[in-house]
Amino acid sequence: MFKKLLSIFMVVALFTSVLAACGNTEDKAADSEKKGSGKARVIRAGIGLNDKHPQYLALLKFKEIVEKETNGSITVETYHSSQLGDDRAMMEALQLGTQQMTIPSTAPIANFVPEFSVYDIPFLFPSEEVADKVLLESDVAKELLEKLPAQGMVGLAYWENGFRDLTNDKVAVATAADFKNLKIRTMENQLHLAAFRELGANPTPMAFAEVFTAMQQGTIDGQENPVATIYLQKFNEVQKYLSTTHHVYSPFVVLLSKMFWDDSSKEEQDILVKAAQEAGDYERQLNREANTKYLEDLKATGMTVTEVTPEARAEMKTITDKAVEPFVDKIGKDTVEKVKKAVEDASK
Ligand code: TK8
């Protein structure tokens, strides 16, 4: 009797689950018609900086918002310290669709969209407040992001790398003359190279992950990055001098593979943009706190910090302006003028 009941029960159970499975298949087919929804997808996001940097902390915030808002239909996997490659390699992977997200400085983006070199003009932004107004509110900053899809990438938002300062192991740089013959690593960017050459330095482009070792082995004398990076990457262990040159303000751009973007529903796209903006506000706040605190921490480790005077900066600007001139056509006269106007308006 028990056996008979059991077998009836099993037949019923089997029948029901077959029916349920059929229903599921139909649901799935219908779902995949609607873009993005139904199938769980993964964003592999990689950055060059390490897991202590505000950029990584904000990436975790982005992950949290996206996973919550999409109810887990999009998951974000995060990789730091160039685990997925350097900035250029990661952008190429976005174009191919083998990686979905990265957050480079605008300087290496200029190798894909030349107009982005407008942000490489030395001493363009006078302050973080002006940078915020231009990057977050101006039409031209938005127009630049709109040039990315033609290169297989979508710009979700501007974040902040910040004002770049010089470190080296040879001399306390206080004025333009002190740059003479210094071997300085720059990002892979033609305008940065030209500006340092104009200052009499001997610049060489290099991927970020190689910089520490190159300084340790003495193949270069120095590099330039915001204070948060200098401190968190422990550059002070291989560099004696830091000068607050603030020669360039580097924005970051949150880049998504266009393939992933096109595969997302409108609702998911809105969530991605909103999450990138929200995490960006958080990143700017953390980054500014970090830059202030870590400058003091660097002094405490014994690094010699030279405060560069406004006069010395003005002289550096006059010199590096000569490097900018030949780039104006490449960037686009129109873009240069619009950004300069936006800076002027924001400075009022
Ligand atoms: C990290 C870089 C870095 C940049 C550089 O991937 O290369 O010096 O400032 O932050 O984007």
Side-chain angles (χ1 to χ4, degrees):
M1 174 66 185
F2 178 71
K3 264 190 176 171
K4 215 176 199 171
L5 260 182
L6 189 67
S7 60
I8 289 172
F9 174 76
M10 278 169 73
V11 167
V12 170
L14 188 70
F15 195 56
T16 331
S17 67
V18 166
L19 268 183
C22 288
N24 265 347
T25 322
E26 272 164 29
D27 282 354
K28 269 189 201 135
D31 266 349
S32 68
E33 297 286 286
K34 288 186 260 152
K35 270 195 207 167
S37 53
K39 43 185 170 139
R41 292 174 313 138
V42 177
I43 292 179
R44 288 171 79 236
I47 61 168
L49 293 161
N50 68 26
D51 59 350
K52 306 283 185 301
H53 195 281
Q55 189 191 46
Y56 189 74
L57 305 178
L59 177 56
L60 293 179
K61 175 148 218 105
F62 172 85
K63 169 185 166 74
E64 186 191 309
I65 300 170
V66 168
E67 291 180 355
K68 180 167 171 276
E69 297 292 318
T70 65
N71 289 318
S73 86
I74 296 179
T75 331
V76 184
E77 284 175 7
T78 61
Y79 300 87
H80 55 85
S81 307
S82 305
Q83 286 166 324
L84 298 185
D86 61 34
D87 285 341
R88 177 185 280 267
M90 288 194 282
M91 282 186 267
E92 283 166 0
L94 257 57
Q95 292 181 312
L96 295 169
T98 52
Q99 183 183 327
Q100 291 69 40
M101 190 168 145
T102 186
I103 316 174
S105 297
T106 46
I109 300 178
N111 295 316
F112 298 82
V113 179
E115 288 89 341
F116 270 94
S117 235
V118 71
Y119 299 126
D120 298 316
I121 296 175
F123 306 100
L124 174 71
F125 292 115
S127 67
E128 285 155 355
E129 292 67 36
V130 170
D132 283 356
K133 279 194 198 154
V134 174
L135 296 167
L136 307 178
E137 292 167 25
S138 80
D139 290 339
V140 63
K142 238 179 264 141
E143 283 162 28
L144 285 174
L145 295 184
E146 281 158 13
K147 293 183 190 298
L148 287 161
Q151 288 299 317
M153 298 178 272
V154 173
L156 298 181
Y158 286 99
W159 287 9
E160 169 177 285
N161 194 350
F163 279 109
R164 305 180 78 87
D165 290 332
L166 181 79
T167 68
N168 83 98
D169 209 27
K170 285 258 152 75
V171 50
V173 173
T175 66
D178 300 327
F179 280 84
K180 190 125 195 80
N181 295 331
L182 280 181
K183 278 199 206 159
I184 301 298
R185 173 270 176 175
T186 69
M187 291 183 281
E188 296 175 71
N189 178 282
Q190 294 302 324
L191 181 41
H192 283 225
L193 283 165
F196 278 96
R197 269 189 218 116
E198 206 64 60
L199 284 163
N202 183 1
T204 173
M206 192 183 288
F208 182 72
E210 292 159 29
V211 177
F212 186 93
T213 311
M215 294 191 295
Q216 193 172 40
Q217 296 180 342
T219 45
I220 51 171
D221 300 322
Q223 64 83 45
E224 42 82 53
N225 253 299
V227 164
T229 298
I230 294 165
Y231 180 82
L232 292 169
Q233 301 288 149
K234 299 192 163 63
F235 287 172
N236 57 298
E237 288 180 1
V238 288
Q239 299 276 274
K240 185 151 178 37
Y241 303 103
L242 186 155
S243 305
T244 59
T245 47
H246 281 34
H247 51 279
V248 170
Y249 175 92
S250 274
F252 284 134
V253 179
V254 181
L255 294 176
L256 191 76
S257 167
K258 186 171 180 294
M259 286 169 154
F260 191 92
W261 178 261
D262 289 343
D263 211 20
S264 304
S265 66
K266 174 77 176 67
E267 198 193 342
E268 287 172 332
Q269 291 176 348
D270 290 346
I271 290 170
L272 291 167
V273 170
K274 242 191 95 222
Q277 288 170 347
E278 227 178 288
D281 292 338
Y282 177 63
E283 193 261 354
R284 270 182 291 276
Q285 185 203 326
L286 287 184
N287 198 48
R288 286 165 197 182
E289 287 165 10
N291 280 329
T292 310
K293 178 178 185 302
Y294 293 152
L295 187 63
E296 295 314 309
D297 293 348
L298 285 171
K299 286 179 193 164
T301 67
M303 217 180 183
T304 303
V305 174
T306 305
E307 295 285 351
V308 177
T309 64
E311 296 73 36
R313 274 199 202 111
E315 194 200 358
M316 290 172 197
K317 180 177 183 322
T318 308
I319 295 170
T320 52
D321 273 352
K322 280 178 251 156
V324 177
E325 268 167 42
F327 282 87
V328 171
D329 282 341
K330 210 176 148 203
I331 298 169
K333 237 192 156 85
D334 193 42
T335 302
V336 174
E337 274 164 16
K338 278 188 194 164
V339 170
K340 287 198 166 164
K341 175 85 171 50
V343 169
E344 215 182 285
D345 291 347
S347 305
K348 276 174 195 160

